[in-house]
Amino acid sequence: PNPPEIQKQKVAQKKAQARKHAKELIRPGTPEPVEGREHVHVQTELYLEEIRDRILEADEECQTDEFLDRPPTPLFIPAKTGTDMATQIEEGELFDFDIEVKPILEVLIGKTVEQALLEVMEEEELAHLRAHQRAFIELRNAEFAELQRLEEQDRRIREEKERRRLEHLENLRKQKETTEKIAARAFAQRYLADLIPSVFSNLYDSGFFYDPIERDIETEFLPWLMSEVEETLQKKVLGRTMLDSLIRTVVERRLDAFSHQPPSVQAEAPTEEPRPTDAALQVSGGTDAADQPVTEKEETDQPVAEEQPSDPISSQLQESDQ
């Protein structure tokens, strides 16, 4: 068995024991026996039985007789009750059927014919009632159809009236709206007659209206021209920078040559001075004619050349500042 079932069984046993103990406590006890006597357990049941620790068991045998044929069941005849009586009928005492049956037949035939007539009359009456009912139903259906036709006609008349009223209101609304639009248009035309020229003049002054050729020149030609000019100026500045560097180099070499030559050589040096200057003039001759005055000024001005920095970038920045 499962543990939950075992637990349930234990709980049930505990409850049964507790219930039994409670009954024992509630049941009144037997008084104590007097001196010289003792209580003995006695069976009070209707059928006594021998109480033993071990039930006695014994084997017994029984032999039945051979099977005998069962005799047929006798016919059941109920017992006779009451007293037998007899009646003697003489001739002429009983009625004659042919004579006695006539009134009975007349009554039966009369009742049958009367019942048939009643049924026929009832059927005719029912037929008349059905005819009247059919005519009434037809009349009611005709009146109901006429009522529906009149109601439908009234409904169509009301709808037509409402539609005509709505159309009239819509026409009045459209007429009013058209009148207001015409008045507003006339007022707007009169109001904007002097406003449009002033607005166009202000827009023209503000630059909203422009000449396409002038605008094309400003947006396309002038930027291209400025870029070309800037590129040309950069090339000129580069040429000037290179020329300045060459002149500075030549001047530094000449300065070093004059500072380190002996007096005898310094006397002969004026005959050889034009060589570096000739080279500088040849280099400067390859530049533009507009750059010659600047180069000649830088050749003659030796102290300025000595003070210039040896860095070509700084010299380019100074030249661009000038």
PDB file of all heavy atoms in Angstrom, residues 267-290:
ATOM      1  N   ALA A 267      90.250  91.553 -51.935  1.00  0.00           N
ATOM      2  CA  ALA A 267      90.484  92.556 -52.971  1.00  0.00           C
ATOM      3  C   ALA A 267      90.127  92.003 -54.330  1.00  0.00           C
ATOM      4  O   ALA A 267      89.692  92.753 -55.209  1.00  0.00           O
ATOM      5  CB  ALA A 267      91.958  93.000 -52.942  1.00  0.00           C
ATOM      6  N   GLU A 268      90.342  90.709 -54.508  1.00  0.00           N
ATOM      7  CA  GLU A 268      90.000  90.107 -55.780  1.00  0.00           C
ATOM      8  C   GLU A 268      88.524  89.683 -55.857  1.00  0.00           C
ATOM      9  O   GLU A 268      88.008  89.375 -56.912  1.00  0.00           O
ATOM     10  CB  GLU A 268      90.873  88.869 -56.026  1.00  0.00           C
ATOM     11  CG  GLU A 268      92.351  89.231 -56.129  1.00  0.00           C
ATOM     12  CD  GLU A 268      93.204  87.987 -56.279  1.00  0.00           C
ATOM     13  OE1 GLU A 268      92.588  86.869 -56.235  1.00  0.00           O
ATOM     14  OE2 GLU A 268      94.415  88.090 -56.441  1.00  0.00           O
ATOM     15  N   ALA A 269      87.849  89.627 -54.745  1.00  0.00           N
ATOM     16  CA  ALA A 269      86.457  89.134 -54.715  1.00  0.00           C
ATOM     17  C   ALA A 269      85.487  89.979 -55.495  1.00  0.00           C
ATOM     18  O   ALA A 269      84.574  89.464 -56.109  1.00  0.00           O
ATOM     19  CB  ALA A 269      85.982  89.026 -53.274  1.00  0.00           C
ATOM     20  N   PRO A 270      85.666  91.344 -55.595  1.00  0.00           N
ATOM     21  CA  PRO A 270      84.681  92.107 -56.349  1.00  0.00           C
ATOM     22  C   PRO A 270      84.591  91.685 -57.792  1.00  0.00           C
ATOM     23  O   PRO A 270      83.567  91.869 -58.426  1.00  0.00           O
ATOM     24  CB  PRO A 270      85.153  93.542 -56.199  1.00  0.00           C
ATOM     25  CG  PRO A 270      85.872  93.565 -54.895  1.00  0.00           C
ATOM     26  CD  PRO A 270      86.558  92.276 -54.795  1.00  0.00           C
ATOM     27  N   THR A 271      85.715  91.135 -58.324  1.00  0.00           N
ATOM     28  CA  THR A 271      85.637  90.700 -59.717  1.00  0.00           C
ATOM     29  C   THR A 271      84.748  89.471 -59.863  1.00  0.00           C
ATOM     30  O   THR A 271      84.183  89.226 -60.927  1.00  0.00           O
ATOM     31  CB  THR A 271      87.053  90.391 -60.251  1.00  0.00           C
ATOM     32  OG1 THR A 271      87.637  89.356 -59.420  1.00  0.00           O
ATOM     33  CG2 THR A 271      87.915  91.630 -60.215  1.00  0.00           C
ATOM     34  N   GLU A 272      84.613  88.683 -58.768  1.00  0.00           N
ATOM     35  CA  GLU A 272      83.816  87.447 -58.842  1.00  0.00           C
ATOM     36  C   GLU A 272      82.426  87.602 -58.247  1.00  0.00           C
ATOM     37  O   GLU A 272      81.681  86.669 -58.175  1.00  0.00           O
ATOM     38  CB  GLU A 272      84.539  86.315 -58.113  1.00  0.00           C
ATOM     39  CG  GLU A 272      85.876  85.988 -58.750  1.00  0.00           C
ATOM     40  CD  GLU A 272      86.602  84.901 -57.954  1.00  0.00           C
ATOM     41  OE1 GLU A 272      86.043  84.516 -56.879  1.00  0.00           O
ATOM     42  OE2 GLU A 272      87.643  84.443 -58.370  1.00  0.00           O
ATOM     43  N   GLU A 273      82.062  88.788 -57.729  1.00  0.00           N
ATOM     44  CA  GLU A 273      80.752  88.966 -57.079  1.00  0.00           C
ATOM     45  C   GLU A 273      79.578  88.815 -58.026  1.00  0.00           C
ATOM     46  O   GLU A 273      78.553  88.276 -57.668  1.00  0.00           O
ATOM     47  CB  GLU A 273      80.683  90.333 -56.414  1.00  0.00           C
ATOM     48  CG  GLU A 273      81.523  90.386 -55.139  1.00  0.00           C
ATOM     49  CD  GLU A 273      81.423  91.765 -54.511  1.00  0.00           C
ATOM     50  OE1 GLU A 273      80.698  92.603 -55.092  1.00  0.00           O
ATOM     51  OE2 GLU A 273      82.028  91.985 -53.462  1.00  0.00           O
ATOM     52  N   PRO A 274      79.678  89.253 -59.274  1.00  0.00           N
ATOM     53  CA  PRO A 274      78.478  89.195 -60.100  1.00  0.00           C
ATOM     54  C   PRO A 274      77.982  87.784 -60.375  1.00  0.00           C
ATOM     55  O   PRO A 274      76.876  87.605 -60.815  1.00  0.00           O
ATOM     56  CB  PRO A 274      78.887  89.893 -61.388  1.00  0.00           C
ATOM     57  CG  PRO A 274      79.992  90.786 -60.982  1.00  0.00           C
ATOM     58  CD  PRO A 274      80.739  90.080 -59.911  1.00  0.00           C
ATOM     59  N   ARG A 275      78.825  86.754 -60.103  1.00  0.00           N
ATOM     60  CA  ARG A 275      78.381  85.397 -60.443  1.00  0.00           C
ATOM     61  C   ARG A 275      77.139  84.950 -59.642  1.00  0.00           C
ATOM     62  O   ARG A 275      76.159  84.506 -60.231  1.00  0.00           O
ATOM     63  CB  ARG A 275      79.531  84.408 -60.253  1.00  0.00           C
ATOM     64  CG  ARG A 275      80.648  84.616 -61.247  1.00  0.00           C
ATOM     65  CD  ARG A 275      81.777  83.625 -61.016  1.00  0.00           C
ATOM     66  NE  ARG A 275      82.867  83.874 -61.964  1.00  0.00           N
ATOM     67  CZ  ARG A 275      84.023  83.194 -61.952  1.00  0.00           C
ATOM     68  NH1 ARG A 275      84.209  82.233 -61.023  1.00  0.00           N
ATOM     69  NH2 ARG A 275      84.970  83.472 -62.838  1.00  0.00           N
ATOM     70  N   PRO A 276      77.194  85.059 -58.332  1.00  0.00           N
ATOM     71  CA  PRO A 276      75.952  84.646 -57.619  1.00  0.00           C
ATOM     72  C   PRO A 276      74.767  85.504 -57.968  1.00  0.00           C
ATOM     73  O   PRO A 276      73.649  85.019 -58.096  1.00  0.00           O
ATOM     74  CB  PRO A 276      76.311  84.774 -56.145  1.00  0.00           C
ATOM     75  CG  PRO A 276      77.809  84.749 -56.104  1.00  0.00           C
ATOM     76  CD  PRO A 276      78.266  85.380 -57.374  1.00  0.00           C
ATOM     77  N   THR A 277      75.022  86.763 -58.149  1.00  0.00           N
ATOM     78  CA  THR A 277      73.889  87.632 -58.472  1.00  0.00           C
ATOM     79  C   THR A 277      73.346  87.316 -59.833  1.00  0.00           C
ATOM     80  O   THR A 277      72.140  87.405 -60.074  1.00  0.00           O
ATOM     81  CB  THR A 277      74.332  89.104 -58.418  1.00  0.00           C
ATOM     82  OG1 THR A 277      75.451  89.265 -59.298  1.00  0.00           O
ATOM     83  CG2 THR A 277      74.763  89.480 -57.006  1.00  0.00           C
ATOM     84  N   ASP A 278      74.291  86.946 -60.783  1.00  0.00           N
ATOM     85  CA  ASP A 278      73.805  86.555 -62.102  1.00  0.00           C
ATOM     86  C   ASP A 278      72.920  85.316 -62.013  1.00  0.00           C
ATOM     87  O   ASP A 278      71.880  85.233 -62.672  1.00  0.00           O
ATOM     88  CB  ASP A 278      74.991  86.275 -63.037  1.00  0.00           C
ATOM     89  CG  ASP A 278      75.778  87.585 -63.304  1.00  0.00           C
ATOM     90  OD1 ASP A 278      75.137  88.655 -63.129  1.00  0.00           O
ATOM     91  OD2 ASP A 278      76.957  87.499 -63.654  1.00  0.00           O
ATOM     92  N   ALA A 279      73.357  84.398 -61.174  1.00  0.00           N
ATOM     93  CA  ALA A 279      72.515  83.184 -61.009  1.00  0.00           C
ATOM     94  C   ALA A 279      71.167  83.525 -60.408  1.00  0.00           C
ATOM     95  O   ALA A 279      70.133  83.014 -60.810  1.00  0.00           O
ATOM     96  CB  ALA A 279      73.243  82.164 -60.137  1.00  0.00           C
ATOM     97  N   ALA A 280      71.196  84.468 -59.441  1.00  0.00           N
ATOM     98  CA  ALA A 280      69.917  84.881 -58.822  1.00  0.00           C
ATOM     99  C   ALA A 280      69.048  85.591 -59.817  1.00  0.00           C
ATOM    100  O   ALA A 280      67.829  85.412 -59.849  1.00  0.00           O
ATOM    101  CB  ALA A 280      70.204  85.788 -57.620  1.00  0.00           C
ATOM    102  N   LEU A 281      69.698  86.411 -60.708  1.00  0.00           N
ATOM    103  CA  LEU A 281      68.907  87.099 -61.712  1.00  0.00           C
ATOM    104  C   LEU A 281      68.342  86.124 -62.719  1.00  0.00           C
ATOM    105  O   LEU A 281      67.220  86.302 -63.200  1.00  0.00           O
ATOM    106  CB  LEU A 281      69.772  88.155 -62.414  1.00  0.00           C
ATOM    107  CG  LEU A 281      70.158  89.371 -61.559  1.00  0.00           C
ATOM    108  CD1 LEU A 281      71.132  90.259 -62.317  1.00  0.00           C
ATOM    109  CD2 LEU A 281      68.930  90.143 -61.146  1.00  0.00           C
ATOM    110  N   GLN A 282      69.093  85.079 -63.037  1.00  0.00           N
ATOM    111  CA  GLN A 282      68.570  84.080 -63.968  1.00  0.00           C
ATOM    112  C   GLN A 282      67.370  83.340 -63.360  1.00  0.00           C
ATOM    113  O   GLN A 282      66.398  83.073 -64.040  1.00  0.00           O
ATOM    114  CB  GLN A 282      69.671  83.070 -64.335  1.00  0.00           C
ATOM    115  CG  GLN A 282      70.758  83.672 -65.224  1.00  0.00           C
ATOM    116  CD  GLN A 282      71.878  82.680 -65.506  1.00  0.00           C
ATOM    117  OE1 GLN A 282      71.794  81.536 -65.039  1.00  0.00           O
ATOM    118  NE2 GLN A 282      72.906  83.099 -66.254  1.00  0.00           N
ATOM    119  N   VAL A 283      67.455  83.048 -62.090  1.00  0.00           N
ATOM    120  CA  VAL A 283      66.310  82.375 -61.432  1.00  0.00           C
ATOM    121  C   VAL A 283      65.141  83.299 -61.362  1.00  0.00           C
ATOM    122  O   VAL A 283      64.007  82.930 -61.608  1.00  0.00           O
ATOM    123  CB  VAL A 283      66.723  81.894 -60.035  1.00  0.00           C
ATOM    124  CG1 VAL A 283      65.514  81.328 -59.306  1.00  0.00           C
ATOM    125  CG2 VAL A 283      67.809  80.847 -60.136  1.00  0.00           C
ATOM    126  N   SER A 284      65.410  84.578 -61.043  1.00  0.00           N
ATOM    127  CA  SER A 284      64.300  85.538 -60.946  1.00  0.00           C
ATOM    128  C   SER A 284      63.720  85.869 -62.302  1.00  0.00           C
ATOM    129  O   SER A 284      62.574  86.283 -62.412  1.00  0.00           O
ATOM    130  CB  SER A 284      64.775  86.819 -60.241  1.00  0.00           C
ATOM    131  OG  SER A 284      65.809  87.436 -61.022  1.00  0.00           O
ATOM    132  N   GLY A 285      64.535  85.682 -63.369  1.00  0.00           N
ATOM    133  CA  GLY A 285      64.019  85.947 -64.699  1.00  0.00           C
ATOM    134  C   GLY A 285      62.935  84.960 -65.105  1.00  0.00           C
ATOM    135  O   GLY A 285      62.133  85.255 -65.972  1.00  0.00           O
ATOM    136  N   GLY A 286      62.914  83.778 -64.517  1.00  0.00           N
ATOM    137  CA  GLY A 286      61.864  82.790 -64.842  1.00  0.00           C
ATOM    138  C   GLY A 286      60.533  83.096 -64.204  1.00  0.00           C
ATOM    139  O   GLY A 286      59.538  82.496 -64.520  1.00  0.00           O
ATOM    140  N   THR A 287      60.456  84.006 -63.281  1.00  0.00           N
ATOM    141  CA  THR A 287      59.203  84.385 -62.614  1.00  0.00           C
ATOM    142  C   THR A 287      58.519  85.458 -63.396  1.00  0.00           C
ATOM    143  O   THR A 287      58.980  85.899 -64.434  1.00  0.00           O
ATOM    144  CB  THR A 287      59.498  84.857 -61.185  1.00  0.00           C
ATOM    145  OG1 THR A 287      60.366  85.972 -61.244  1.00  0.00           O
ATOM    146  CG2 THR A 287      60.161  83.749 -60.373  1.00  0.00           C
ATOM    147  N   ASP A 288      57.372  85.931 -62.931  1.00  0.00           N
ATOM    148  CA  ASP A 288      56.587  86.952 -63.603  1.00  0.00           C
ATOM    149  C   ASP A 288      57.277  88.294 -63.514  1.00  0.00           C
ATOM    150  O   ASP A 288      58.084  88.580 -62.607  1.00  0.00           O
ATOM    151  CB  ASP A 288      55.194  87.042 -62.980  1.00  0.00           C
ATOM    152  CG  ASP A 288      54.430  85.744 -63.179  1.00  0.00           C
ATOM    153  OD1 ASP A 288      54.756  85.023 -64.150  1.00  0.00           O
ATOM    154  OD2 ASP A 288      53.537  85.464 -62.353  1.00  0.00           O
ATOM    155  N   ALA A 289      56.973  89.183 -64.466  1.00  0.00           N
ATOM    156  CA  ALA A 289      57.550  90.530 -64.485  1.00  0.00           C
ATOM    157  C   ALA A 289      57.115  91.337 -63.281  1.00  0.00           C
ATOM    158  O   ALA A 289      57.813  92.242 -62.844  1.00  0.00           O
ATOM    159  CB  ALA A 289      57.141  91.253 -65.777  1.00  0.00           C
ATOM    160  N   ALA A 290      55.949  90.985 -62.725  1.00  0.00           N
ATOM    161  CA  ALA A 290      55.458  91.736 -61.564  1.00  0.00           C
ATOM    162  C   ALA A 290      56.242  91.429 -60.323  1.00  0.00           C
ATOM    163  O   ALA A 290      56.226  92.208 -59.365  1.00  0.00           O
ATOM    164  CB  ALA A 290      53.992  91.410 -61.324  1.00  0.00           C
TER     165      ALA A 290
END
